[in-house]
Amino acid sequence: MFYTRRASARASAVFFAVLLCAVVVASATRAQTSVSNRQAMTDPNAPDIAFTVSIPQPHTHLLEVEMSVRSAASNPASAAPHAELRMPVWTPGSYLVREYARHVQDFAARDAAGRELAWRKTDKNTWRVETNGAREWRATYRVYANEATPRTNEVNDRHAFWNNAALLMFLEGHLDAPATLRVRPPQGWQVATGLPAVSGEANAFRADNFDHLYDSPFEVGTFKTIEFDVRGVPHRLVIDGEGNYDAERLRRDMARICETQAALMGGLPFKDYTFILHLGVTGGGATEHLNSVAMTWVRFNFRPETQYANFLGLVSHEYFHAWNVKRIRPDALGPFDYSRENYTTLLWVAEGTTDYYGSLLLRRAGLTSEKDYLDALARSFQTLQNTPGRARMSVEEASFDAWIKHYRRDENYQNTQISYYDKGAILSALLDLHIRKLSNNTRSLDDVMRHLYAEFYLKNRNYTSEDFQRAAEGAAGASLEDFFRRYVRGREELDYNAALSAVGLRLDTNVPASGDASKPPVVKPFLGATLARADEIVTLTTAPASGIFRTTLAPDAVVIKYINEGTPAYNFGLNVGDQVVALDGVRVTRETFDRRIEEKRPGDTLAVTVFRGDELRTFNVKLTGRADTVYRLVPLTERTPEQLRAYQNWLGLPRATPSE
C-alpha cells in the first residue's frame, strides 16, 4: 500500500475529526441495541418463548426452569412434529467449552393439557421432544448450580447468580426469537439484571433475541446497591457479600472511570448499566456483558491502596468491553454458535487492547499516578521478556488457540505460549505510540477504536484482522504492514524503544532492584525454579488438570510450580511437581529455601533432594548468575517539544513535562 505522508495525514485528520462527531451523534441515537446482528425486527412467524426460573430450595443448589413454547398465532402450521432444545456449551466472553449440559437433571416435557411428551437426547447437549404438532408445549428441568465464578451458576441459602447461557436452553433454529424470563425468588430476595423489565409485572424481563438473553446475567438475593449517573445514564453497583470497601469512594471513582471512557468513545451505547460484584474469600475475575458485568473480588482487598487500584483496573477493563467486544465485534464473535468453539485470531484486540485501555484510562481519569502507570507498563515488558513462549507463539496464534490453551494452562505454559491479554496489551501500547509518531501526534489508537465503532458496529458489521490493520494504517497515514507482519502475525522480539521514543521515553532494563541507581545491579545465584507451598498450588485451577501436583502432600511442602526452559533447574533434570526436601543434605522449608540459595555463588553446584512421586532423588545443579534488575521507563536525555506534547496527550496530563 502506497502513501504520500503529508497529504495522507491532512486527509486523515479531517476524516477522523468528522468521524468523532458522527460517533457522538450515533451513540446518542443507538443506545441499548442488541448484542449481535441477528434479525433486528421480530419475525411474525417466530414462536413465543418464555422461561420461568424458580429457587424453591436454595440450599440444594438447584435452579428450576420451565420453558414454554407457543407457535406463532399468525402461522399455526409452523408447529412441527418434533423440536430440539439445546443447551449452550460456552458463554461469550470466556473462550472455553464448559459443557453446561452436564449440570442438567430431571428433564421432562408436556403439552398444554399436561400430557407427557416423549423425548430423547440426541447428543451431549440436545434434547429432542416429540411435540406431535402441538402448538403449545413446555419443558421443565433443573440445573445444579454450585460453581462460584462469573461464567457459571451459584445458588445457596444466601443468594443466586446465574448466566443464562449456562441455564437456559434454546429452540433449534430460533436463536433470533425474542424471549421473556420470569424469576420466582425466595421471599425477601431482590432481582438485578441488565435485561429490560416487562412493564407492569414484577421480576419479568424481555430479551430481543437469545444473544441478548444469554448476555444478561442475573443476581438474586439481599444485595446492596450503589447508584450513580454518567451523562444522565443510570449506573448501579450491586454487591453480594461484605467487604472493606468505601461505598462513597466507589461511587465517585467508578463514575469517573465511566465518564472518562464515555468521553473517549463519544457517548454511552446503552440506556443503563449494572455492575454485579461478588465478594468472598477468593476472586479477581469478571465476564463482560452487553450492559452489565459480573465480577468477583476478595472481600478485604479494597485496601491497601495497591489492591484498591487493582480493583479499579478490573472495573475499567470490563467497562471498556461495552465498546470493545460487545459492540466492536471481531469477525467470529457474534452472532454466536453456542454449540461449538467460535474461532478468531483477534482476541489480542478484544482482550489485550481492552486491557491496555483499562489501565491507560485509569491514568487519564486521575485515579493512578503517572509513575505508577509507567512502572506497571515496564513490568509488563519485563514479564513478557522473561517468558520463553514469546518465541514460539504469536498473539494471533494465542487468540486462535484460546479454546485449548489459555484456559487450560499446564506447568509448561510459559515455555510454549504467551497470553493474548498480556502481549495484546503491550502491542496495543506500542501500536498507539507508533501511530502517534507517524501522524505527528495528530491521531492515536483512540481514533482507531472510534473508527471501528462508527464503521463496523454502527453499520452492523464485524471486523476482520485486515480491517483492524487498515483502520490503524488510516490513523497513522502510513503502511503498518511491517509492524503487523513482525509482531502480530509473527514472533519477533519487540522494539520497545522505537515506539517509546514518540513520547520521549526509553526502556532501561538494567535498573537495580534495590532502587539505588548509584550502585550496579547485584548478580545473584540463579536456579530457575519457581516454588510454592503445596497448599498454594492445589488451589490453582490449572494444577489439578496436569495430574502432577498431589493433594496428599503436607500443606507446607515445598513444591516446584514452574521451570523455565534454559535455566539450571531445567537443564539439570528437576521437574515441575517435585517436592523439594533438602539442599546440600539439609532440610529446607519454603521460608528458608531462598536464603539457602542466596548463600551460594554463581557457578556453585547445589545438591537438590526431592521426592518425585514416592522416590527420593538428588540432582546436582550448577547454578548460574542473574543480575537482580527491574525494567523502568525513563525520559530521554533530550526531549523535543513534540515528544513532550505527545507524552501529555497520551497520558492525559495537565502539564507538558513528564515526571522524572
Side-chain angles (χ1 to χ4, degrees), residues 261 264 313 316-318 320-321 324 347-364 368 373-374 376-377 380-381 420-436 443-449 468 499-500 503 633 646-647 649-652:
Q261 298 195 11
L264 169 67
S316 185
H317 174 104
E318 298 303 328
F320 195 71
H321 269 313
N324 195 29
L347 292 184
W348 76 271
V349 179
E351 293 293 351
T353 302
T354 300
D355 215 34
Y356 169 60
Y357 274 108
S359 299
L360 179 64
L361 294 175
L362 281 186
R363 169 49 250 152
R364 292 184 186 173
T368 190
Y373 175 76
L374 295 179
L377 187 58
S380 71
F381 295 166
Y420 53 81
Y421 280 84
D422 299 342
K423 189 172 182 181
I426 291 170
L427 278 178
S428 298
L430 300 186
L431 179 60
D432 190 6
L433 298 179
H434 197 41
I435 292 172
R436 291 172 187 273
R443 289 176 304 282
S444 67
L445 192 61
D446 300 359
D447 297 291
V448 176
M449 301 311 295
F468 184 81
L500 290 168
V503 290
L633 298 181
Y647 181 90
N649 292 341
W650 175 45
L651 297 185

Side-chain angles (χ1 to χ4, degrees), residues 418-464:
I418 51 94
S419 164
Y420 53 81
Y421 280 84
D422 299 342
K423 189 172 182 181
I426 291 170
L427 278 178
S428 298
L430 300 186
L431 179 60
D432 190 6
L433 298 179
H434 197 41
I435 292 172
R436 291 172 187 273
K437 187 174 185 177
L438 291 174
S439 68
N440 295 318
N441 196 36
T442 60
R443 289 176 304 282
S444 67
L445 192 61
D446 300 359
D447 297 291
V448 176
M449 301 311 295
R450 289 189 288 259
H451 172 83
L452 293 174
Y453 184 79
E455 292 300 311
F456 289 89
Y457 167 65
L458 292 180
K459 294 182 179 179
N460 213 17
R461 298 189 294 157
N462 292 18
Y463 71 92
T464 65

Side-chain angles (χ1 to χ4, degrees), residues 523-581:
V523 177
K524 293 185 175 182
F526 179 61
L527 176 64
T530 301
L531 291 96
R533 286 165 45 106
D535 57 357
E536 297 170 335
I537 290 182
V538 297
T539 60
L540 297 175
T541 57
T542 53
S546 70
I548 286 177
F549 302 108
R550 297 172 296 141
T551 58
T552 56
L553 292 173
D556 61 349
V558 182
V559 182
I560 296 178
K561 181 179 176 183
Y562 298 119
I563 297 177
N564 280 8
E565 66 174 43
T567 63
Y570 185 93
N571 293 335
F572 286 89
L574 293 175
N575 281 185
V576 170
D578 286 346
Q579 178 190 354
V580 181
V581 294

